Amino acid sequence: AARPRSLRSAEPLLPRCCDTMNVSDAVRQRHSVRAFKPEQPPAAMVRSILEQAARAPSGGNLQPWHVHALAGEPLAQLLQLVATAPMQEEPEYAVYPPELWEPYRTRRWRNAEQLYTAIGIPREERVARLQQMQKNAAFFGAPVGIFISMDRRMGPPQWADLGIYLQTVMLLATEQGLGTCAQEYWAFRSQPVRAFLALPPERLLFAGLALGWPDEGAAINQWRSERDPFEAWGEMRGFD
């Protein structure tokens, strides 16, 4: 009899959701999902995505990422702990530079305004905006919550490595028809997470990642953030 495939395999454990999807398709289709269906993706699928993403490059092959994936009762316990914990005074790290300058300030402001407009929350309804923001603390209802951490003694190159790993996870998830939302929000709620996961003092909590099947009927999932044209940030020299 054929032996069952081990969950330790780094090869795809399930067929792709769409045999015609390529990297360009995944890049175009990936977006931040902020409403999820309750159904939990199979453990084999989640592990395969996380393992395959470890093929992401890192300087000197340091592979600085540490990953915790929670679902079911452990996730529910953590979210309850977060819900009862006060907001910490200082984030784990500075998510944005102080006194953000142009064009970055305008990009951030426009992104927030467009998001709230897409779900019908005007600027003056601050309570409703706060309630929407607080959905971060529940992974927007995603059935899987993933945390990425690294040794805080690492430097900017390793921060870049974490971003590459995270993007690779999101593209592989898109290939399987899953939705994701990368959340630096957890830098503001790191204390209960650190306690629950028993992270050692030298480990820095970098980000969370909501993962699950997107609720395509939710208005917030119809919105897409805009991108500046290439001319605003790119140059090419020496080409014909």
Side-chain angles (χ1 to χ4, degrees):
R3 296 177 60 186
R5 298 183 68 178
S6 169
L7 289 183
R8 297 185 64 82
S9 171
E11 298 176 354
L13 297 172
L14 294 171
R16 296 185 302 172
C17 73
C18 178
D19 289 338
T20 61
M21 180 175 287
N22 56 34
V23 176
S24 296
D25 293 330
V27 170
R28 284 191 295 268
Q29 293 183 28
R30 187 219 61 81
H31 66 282
S32 294
V33 173
R34 293 180 174 86
F36 293 85
K37 296 178 180 179
E39 291 79 15
Q40 182 178 308
M45 177 182 286
V46 175
R47 178 158 184 163
S48 177
I49 289 170
L50 296 176
E51 285 191 305
Q52 289 184 77
R55 293 302 308 172
S58 59
N61 198 30
L62 295 187
Q63 305 167 68
W65 46 80
H66 292 264
V67 180
H68 289 81
L70 304 180
E73 187 59 27
L75 178 59
Q77 291 175 358
L78 171 61
L79 296 186
Q80 178 60 31
L81 182 63
V82 171
T84 57
M87 183 74 75
Q88 60 200 63
E89 295 183 3
E90 295 293 333
E92 185 85 329
Y93 58 89
V95 175
Y96 298 106
E99 300 181 6
L100 201 59
W101 55 94
E102 297 298 343
Y104 312 108
R105 181 180 180 278
T106 295
R107 287 175 183 168
R108 184 186 178 199
W109 180 85
R110 283 179 55 83
N111 187 73
E113 289 303 304
Q114 290 171 358
L115 184 152
Y116 289 119
T117 298
I119 55 178
I121 302 180
R123 185 183 305 180
E124 60 271 15
E125 293 189 13
R126 295 188 176 183
V127 173
R129 290 192 171 203
L130 180 60
Q131 291 172 340
Q132 175 60 39
M133 173 65 70
Q134 290 175 336
K135 291 181 180 180
N136 276 278
F139 281 110
F140 298 107
V144 178
I146 297 170
F147 292 103
I148 313 293
S149 61
M150 72 170 178
D151 193 307
R152 65 177 69 250
R153 293 170 292 184
M154 294 293 185
Q158 288 74 51
W159 285 73
D161 294 340
L162 291 194
I164 298 171
Y165 174 81
L166 197 55
Q167 172 74 339
T168 305
V169 169
M170 291 188 285
L171 294 180
L172 288 168
T174 301
E175 181 187 51
Q176 295 292 346
L178 295 169
T180 59
C181 186
Q183 299 171 270
E184 292 170 325
Y185 168 86
W186 290 102
F188 296 92
R189 307 305 301 271
S190 63
Q191 293 177 1
V193 177
R194 296 181 60 82
F196 186 85
L197 298 179
L199 296 182
E202 66 272 14
R203 192 84 60 76
L204 179 146
L205 181 64
F206 171 60
L209 182 72
L211 176 73
W213 308 111
D215 180 357
E216 301 293 359
I220 199 166
N221 286 340
Q222 310 307 311
W223 173 72
R224 300 291 185 272
S225 57
E226 63 183 21
R227 295 293 186 272
D228 282 7
F230 178 82
E231 290 75 16
W233 46 263
E235 296 182 25
M236 296 181 68
R237 302 181 182 184
F239 293 89
D240 294 334

